[in-house]
């Protein structure tokens, strides 16, 4: 759960307890909801809170200052995450993913991850494809056809993979060490 979601969770649970309600249902509901990626959340924390109020037999009332502030902060983070341009990482290496995620977050962008099969280019402005993935070729073709700036990266000893990536439509293909050294400059810049 993101820190802003943890703060919202704590504030809403405290608010319900302050009003005299049993927070077990709310605690569970918020944990389930807020642990999901924003795009997969099918209801709001406010809806979960109102359901818990109803189950406790309490009337709906305006949130206290702490809960209201936490809800606004969470909403701002969610809005930014859903509207920020997407950078797609096609791969499954957790170390690579964490390095890319840190750079993407620092740039104010959001990271999407795919294994390379059936890559969805919607909202993607830049894609980084691990050339060691079996589906790398298909992902590069698909992303290039969609007009997404695509950069492949792989072992420096695999010249064939680097050349093949460019021939399939990648805008660039770099040895892994060069890719990670240049990663911040390879990211798109937000206007």
């Amino acid at each position: 759960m993101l820190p802003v979601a943890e703060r919202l969770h704590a504030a809403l649970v405290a608010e319900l307890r302050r009003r005299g309600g049993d927070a077990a249902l709310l605690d569970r509901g918020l944990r389930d909801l807020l642990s999901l990626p924003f795009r997969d959340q099918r209801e709001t924390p406010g809806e979960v809170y109102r359901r818990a109020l109803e189950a406790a037999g309490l009337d709906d009332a305006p949130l206290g200052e702490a809960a209201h502030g936490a809800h606004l902060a969470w909403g701002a983070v969610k809005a930014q995450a859903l509207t920020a341009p997407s950078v797609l990482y096609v791969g499954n290496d957790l170390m690579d993913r964490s390095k890319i995620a840190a750079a993407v977050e620092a740039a104010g962008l959001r990271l999407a991850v795919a294994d390379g099969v059936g890559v969805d280019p919607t909202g993607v402005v830049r894609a980084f494809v691990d050339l060691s993935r079996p589906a790398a070729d298909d992902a590069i073709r698909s992303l290039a056809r969609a007009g997404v700036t695509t950069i492949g990266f792989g072992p420096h000893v695999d010249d064939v993979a680097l050349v093949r990536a460019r021939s399939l439509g990648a805008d660039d293909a770099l040895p892994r060490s060069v890719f990670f050294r240049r990663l911040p400059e390879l990211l798109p810049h937000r206007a």
Side-chain angles (χ1 to χ4, degrees), residues 108-119:
L109 304 166
R110 73 183 173 89
L111 181 66
V113 180
D115 64 4
V117 178
V119 172

Side-chain angles (χ1 to χ4, degrees), residues 97-107 111 183 187:
R97 179 180 176 167
S98 67
K99 290 176 192 174
I100 293 169
V104 166
E105 183 178 318
L111 181 66
L183 181 57
L187 291 167

Side-chain angles (χ1 to χ4, degrees), residues 118-188:
V119 172
D120 179 8
T122 306
V124 175
V125 295
R126 185 77 33 96
F128 301 131
V129 179
D130 182 345
L131 299 177
S132 67
R133 296 289 304 144
D137 291 358
D138 290 336
I140 290 169
R141 273 192 214 97
S142 173
L143 292 162
R145 270 195 302 271
V148 175
T149 300
T150 303
I151 300 167
F153 65 94
H156 71 280
V157 295
D158 194 352
D159 291 337
V160 172
L162 299 175
V163 170
R164 186 176 66 245
R166 287 185 198 98
S167 72
L168 293 170
D171 295 271
D172 204 352
L174 303 167
R176 186 179 289 325
S177 60
V178 173
F179 171 77
F180 282 106
R181 187 171 53 251
R182 292 186 47 209
L183 181 57
E185 70 189 58
L186 296 173
L187 291 167

